[in-house]
Amino acid sequence: MTDVSFIGGLWGLLILVSLSTYIWRASGVVIAARINPDGALSQWFNCVAYGMLAGLISRIMLMPIGILAETPLADRLAALAAGFVLFWVFKRHMLPATLGATAVFLALTTLRSFGYL
Amino acid sequence: MPFFMVLASMMGFGSLARESGLSLGVSVVSSATVWGLPGQVAFAELFAVGAPVLAIMLASSMANLRFLPMSMSMLPLFRTDQRAWRWRYILVALMSINTWALTLRHGPAMPQDQRFHYYMGLCITCMTGGLIGTALGYLLAVSFPFFVIVSLIYLNPVYFIFLFSGVRHRNCILALLIGALLGPLFHLISPDWGLPFCGIIAGSAAFWIDKRMKASPGGPSL
């Protein structure tokens, strides 16, 4: 564990971490106040936000870190595919797709941990 | 639905935080003040392995860089509402992928003065779910089997994939597709800087392709 005694313990570290992440949110406010909301620059930032989020989520799906990394890629993708089938069957409704994919994933990992797969 | 999504994914963080040696109080408060799973995960995991304070700050900050373009693209929705604009620094502190994506989707069609209420309602719902989830995950961590915890964590990215599958604007769809393709590749090149570069390149490419398609007469439009 990290030595945090010199910054006032764990709470001190939390304050530093919180501030260092809030910087991005606050910078967004400062810049947003100075650009034309309907302009090209604003549109571009919107695209960057979507690109960044898609990159993050696809990385979590394909190359997770932590506990999710202990599951096979095939399970993650098979469950996602099942979700897309439901998404299409239910005419683009998120709820059945999300729950369906998670249920398939739960079933697969459960079967694996009991040695059936 | 967002309430339960946040609840479930923050339960995953709660159990991780406990394993990492954070206290219950710090874990729950971090959900409120950092309010972004990748940053919180970096905080907990690096703390557990004894990384230097500066490294923890940098890593969790980089993991939450996405909040810069996100807050920039969301704030114009609140610009004409005087009262909402006065709260702008609070609005962005409460922003998550969930509240951002839903507000961007439903906000533009709403009257200006209703967006603030909609957004705050959404944020309070998500925050409540997040805080309860963190505490529950922390307290129940030991009593869940592996396949339940891992499924709770899986729920989060899947939810966002379907949330983004409903996006309609062509430039956003392009950005999502290119970003999804580049994200893992860029992560291989640099785990720290891959994501911001992925966003900038995917976003710029999508922006440019969309402009080109608009410029060419008779081009396909979605």
Side-chain angles (χ1 to χ4, degrees):
Chain A
M1 268 177 230
T2 303
D3 173 27
V4 286
S5 50
F6 67 101
I7 47 164
L10 209 44
W11 288 101
L13 179 63
L14 176 60
I15 291 171
L16 291 177
V17 167
S18 303
L19 288 177
S20 61
T21 60
Y22 184 70
I23 284 175
W24 300 119
R25 301 170 186 261
S27 318
V29 179
V30 173
I31 303 170
R34 279 163 180 72
I35 63 170
N36 173 11
D38 304 315
L41 196 60
S42 172
Q43 289 252 319
W44 178 75
F45 267 104
N46 199 22
C47 290
V48 170
Y50 275 108
M52 221 183 263
L53 290 175
L56 174 70
I57 292 161
S58 123
R59 198 273 297 154
I60 291 174
M61 262 292 160
L62 299 175
M63 302 170 192
I65 38 176
I67 183 170
L68 204 54
E70 291 168 42
T71 61
L73 177 65
D75 286 9
R76 282 177 260 132
L77 292 183
L80 182 63
F84 269 110
V85 171
L86 289 170
F87 191 67
W88 177 71
V89 168
F90 285 90
K91 302 201 181 343
R92 301 169 71 92
H93 269 287
M94 288 179 60
L95 188 66
T98 310
L99 294 184
T102 310
V104 170
F105 184 76
L106 177 65
L108 288 171
T109 42
T110 308
L111 287 174
R112 269 189 212 282
S113 51
F114 286 109
Y116 292 118
L117 268 178
Chain B
M1 187 167 171
F3 176 83
F4 289 104
M5 290 305 155
V6 181
L7 185 89
S9 52
M10 284 301 181
M11 279 176 77
F13 169 72
S15 63
L16 171 79
R18 183 180 194 153
E19 275 175 51
S20 308
L22 297 180
S23 69
L24 175 63
V26 166
S27 313
V28 173
V29 174
S30 82
S31 286
T33 57
V34 179
W35 196 225
L37 211 42
Q40 285 173 263
V41 169
F43 168 46
E45 285 184 340
L46 289 175
F47 174 75
V49 299
V53 169
L54 197 65
I56 299 178
M57 283 171 66
L58 268 176
S60 51
S61 182
M62 290 307 294
N64 281 344
L65 187 94
R66 64 176 188 282
F67 287 122
L68 172 66
M70 281 168 69
S71 69
M72 291 190 50
S73 69
M74 187 188 76
L75 276 174
L77 284 174
F78 297 102
R79 207 161 169 187
T80 44
D81 182 351
Q82 282 292 320
R83 184 186 38 171
W85 189 248
R86 217 173 301 140
W87 288 79
R88 59 196 183 276
Y89 284 98
I90 307 290
L91 295 182
V92 293
L94 295 172
M95 182 180 65
S96 64
I97 306 185
N98 228 322
T99 61
W100 176 82
L102 289 169
T103 304
L104 241 58
R105 185 192 292 184
H106 301 296
M110 264 176 222
Q112 308 269 354
D113 55 328
Q114 271 179 31
R115 293 175 189 164
F116 182 60
H117 291 286
Y118 172 80
Y119 180 74
M120 289 308 280
L122 203 57
C123 287
I124 291 165
T125 308
C126 286
M127 186 62 87
T128 311
L131 299 188
I132 296 174
T134 313
L136 273 181
Y138 194 96
L139 297 169
L140 301 175
V142 277
S143 50
F144 281 133
F146 168 77
F147 49 85
V148 172
I149 297 178
V150 84
S151 298
L152 286 176
I153 293 178
Y154 181 78
L155 179 64
N156 198 38
V158 164
Y159 169 69
F160 288 127
I161 287 173
F162 292 115
L163 184 62
F164 288 138
S165 298
V167 166
R168 300 266 181 204
H169 291 285
R170 188 176 59 196
N171 57 3
C172 302
I173 296 171
L174 285 168
L176 286 170
L177 291 176
I178 303 170
L181 208 69
L182 294 183
L185 291 175
F186 278 46
H187 180 74
L188 287 178
I189 301 168
S190 162
D192 294 329
W193 290 96
L195 195 57
F197 277 105
C198 163
I200 291 170
I201 292 172
S204 307
F207 181 78
W208 182 75
I209 295 170
D210 181 62
K211 278 270 175 300
R212 286 287 302 250
M213 286 165 95
K214 267 178 203 156
S216 63
S221 61
L222 291 172

